[in-house]
Amino acid sequence: MKLLLALFALLAATPACAQLSLPGFGVAASTVDAVVISSTPYTGILLPGDRGPWVVGETRFTGYVNVSEYALQNRIRARRGVLYTPSDVTGDVREIQTLPGVLSARADLYAQPNMPVPENYNGISVSTMMVRIVYTIEEKPLILPGLKAGATEAAQTPQTQQAGGAQGKTAAKQGPPVSVSGVVFTPTAYRGLGRENRPGLGLDVNTLYYIGRLYGKNDYSTRKTNYIDRIGQWFVCIDGKMQVQTEGQYRPAVAAGAMGIFAFRDAPQPSYQSSFNVTVKPTEKSSKQMAGAYMVASKKVYNVRTSLGYMQGSAGDMTASLSEFFAKESLNFNGHPNQSATSKSTFFASALYMVNPSYPIGFELVKPNGMVLNPYLINFKLGRFLRLNFDLAYLKFRGGWDLLGSFHFRFTQFPKGK
């Protein structure tokens, strides 16, 4: 009897939502409060990713299994207390995607109500709360013996296939992205595609070959037309620079650097013939060293990467190597005795449009200052877009012009871990 009374007392003291349902007895739904518990950790208030800047409070990674979190942390620049812009977040995502085993990545930003921004950022940050950046990683499927890749792709969700799978297939179809750290001969303030708006060091090894003159005209004595003359001029350039300012909504990216050039020929320079059948064989050296230090600013305007820069040094002398009319002997014959085609500074400008990451089109202007015959050179970057390993250049000088054919190769290297 005492045991029965104790059981009834226990049931009376227990809240209705926590009472046990004994066999044969039901509990009315109206007497029990529904309690829903989420297993997903609270991340904060979702923020739009196209606005900024924000103050970073915390970073997280989700979706990774085989990729090391240490490797992921080394790929991003986001740290607590750092002022971050949308381009910085995009740069982190691109860096993560360069890791082996990563198919795609995305970043989401969440405001943290319990983490106010420091007072010195109150007038800068678009949010009064620090943000948590959550990087979602999609890894490449591991193909085990006996299994086909199609089964893994079919198991992806529609969102994954659109955001990650389609991006990976498109990138594989288009090939690796090209460098935007330079156009043809001149540099930009960007460091390279995927790092173009991140401060740091970069090194470019650039090989430029002018195979010959396709067509040209000059009118020194009587008008003369030139067709398909061999030039065979090589330029091997080593360009090291540091981006010192990132690109913002209104401010351009800025970089400072130095360029060293070794020029040599694999064919004799064409001869110059006057209307009096006097032949002058230019005897310029077959090799030459040039150098220059430069400052360059770049700004993206309607998806076109524009650059403007100034170079101090002898690098602008490369334009004089592209025509026999700049040889010292030719200048003496054409009324410029005791003069040489040299300059001490060069202005340059360029525009580059990425049809997609693999097919850029653009041009650059190289204008040496104080050089005899007042030349300027325009290099066009069209070959890869036209599926040709061949580009064009236009050389204009006082008394004539030439249309040149060229080949171009650029290799970009970044310091390890930067």
Side-chain angles (χ1 to χ4, degrees):
M1 184 66 181
K2 292 181 179 180
L3 181 61
L4 184 60
L5 292 176
L7 180 60
F8 277 110
L10 179 61
L11 292 176
T14 303
C17 61
Q19 290 181 2
L20 300 176
S21 178
L22 300 178
F25 295 87
V27 180
S30 59
T31 63
V32 180
D33 296 331
V35 179
V36 179
I37 301 177
S38 174
S39 60
T40 303
Y42 177 71
T43 52
I45 304 170
L46 183 63
L47 298 176
D50 58 345
R51 300 178 183 178
W54 313 274
V55 179
V56 179
E58 183 186 358
T59 59
R60 289 183 182 177
F61 300 94
T62 63
Y64 66 96
V65 176
N66 301 311
V67 180
S68 167
E69 184 174 353
Y70 176 78
L72 293 171
Q73 285 286 358
N74 283 341
R75 290 290 177 169
I76 65 172
R77 295 175 53 248
R79 298 292 185 268
R80 182 181 176 87
V82 174
L83 194 66
Y84 238 47
T85 64
S87 61
D88 293 325
V89 177
T90 303
D92 283 351
V93 171
R94 288 176 176 171
E95 285 296 305
I96 292 173
Q97 290 175 341
T98 62
L99 282 171
V102 174
L103 180 62
S104 66
R106 77 169 193 272
D108 299 306
L109 288 86
Y110 299 89
Q112 306 301 297
N114 59 340
M115 299 170 62
V117 302
E119 293 183 359
N120 54 327
Y121 287 136
N122 280 336
I124 303 175
S125 175
V126 298
S127 172
T128 58
M129 299 168 283
M130 299 175 74
V131 300
R132 174 183 290 127
I133 306 179
V134 180
Y135 299 94
T136 302
I137 314 300
E138 182 187 359
E139 296 179 336
K140 295 179 181 178
L142 296 177
I143 309 302
L144 300 179
L147 298 180
K148 296 182 179 180
T152 305
E153 294 179 358
Q156 295 179 346
T157 63
Q159 293 81 3
T160 301
Q161 292 175 349
Q162 292 177 4
Q167 181 179 355
K169 293 176 182 178
T170 302
K173 182 178 179 181
Q174 294 173 351
V178 299
S179 174
V180 296
S181 57
V183 183
V184 179
F185 172 76
T186 64
T188 68
Y190 303 121
R191 296 177 59 214
L193 196 62
R195 308 183 188 214
E196 66 268 21
N197 198 30
R198 306 184 70 182
L201 298 171
L203 178 68
D204 282 279
V205 179
N206 183 28
T207 302
L208 181 58
Y209 178 56
Y210 290 92
I211 189 171
R213 174 171 48 205
L214 305 179
Y215 184 78
K217 288 186 178 183
N218 66 82
D219 52 3
Y220 282 105
S221 51
T222 59
R223 192 163 187 83
K224 177 187 174 185
T225 302
N226 301 304
Y227 300 95
I228 312 181
D229 292 328
R230 177 76 182 276
I231 293 178
Q233 179 68 58
W234 289 86
F235 298 99
V236 180
C237 312
I238 299 179
D239 175 17
K241 67 183 171 187
M242 179 174 183
Q243 188 183 98
V244 296
Q245 175 176 287
T246 60
E247 180 182 4
Q249 183 177 2
Y250 299 106
R251 71 173 185 269
V254 178
M259 179 184 295
I261 306 168
F262 177 69
F264 63 94
R265 291 185 177 276
D266 63 4
Q269 197 170 42
S271 62
Y272 168 73
Q273 293 180 346
S274 73
S275 59
F276 303 102
N277 295 322
V278 177
T279 300
V280 177
K281 190 72 172 179
T283 58
E284 292 287 299
K285 292 182 178 180
S286 60
S287 64
K288 187 177 183 181
Q289 294 78 41
M290 295 166 280
Y294 64 85
M295 289 285 293
V296 58
S298 299
K299 187 72 178 71
K300 191 174 182 180
V301 181
Y302 296 106
N303 295 325
V304 178
R305 293 174 169 88
T306 60
S307 298
L308 181 65
Y310 175 79
M311 184 177 298
Q312 185 75 25
S314 60
D317 295 355
M318 56 89 62
T319 57
S321 304
L322 303 178
S323 175
E324 66 273 21
F325 295 104
F326 289 92
K328 187 175 181 179
E329 291 76 9
S330 298
L331 293 174
N332 289 335
F333 189 76
N334 287 319
H336 300 280
N338 302 321
Q339 295 190 36
S340 59
T342 59
S343 67
K344 294 184 179 180
S345 62
T346 305
F347 282 106
F348 60 91
S350 64
L352 185 67
Y353 174 70
M354 310 295 290
V355 179
N356 60 51
S358 301
Y359 298 106
I361 58 175
F363 70 93
E364 64 182 14
L365 170 68
V366 182
K367 179 63 179 71
N369 299 319
M371 183 179 290
V372 64
L373 302 184
N374 194 27
Y376 65 85
L377 174 68
I378 301 178
N379 288 315
F380 295 94
K381 191 181 184 73
L382 302 170
R384 192 163 183 177
F385 174 70
L386 300 175
R387 306 295 180 91
L388 297 173
N389 188 23
F390 188 75
D391 288 304
L392 298 176
Y394 175 76
L395 175 63
K396 180 69 175 68
F397 52 92
R398 187 183 300 117
W401 59 270
D402 291 327
L403 182 65
L404 309 170
S406 66
F407 299 91
H408 167 243
F409 171 78
R410 179 181 295 271
F411 172 75
T412 303
Q413 177 66 33
F414 303 106
K416 187 176 181 181
K418 297 295 183 181

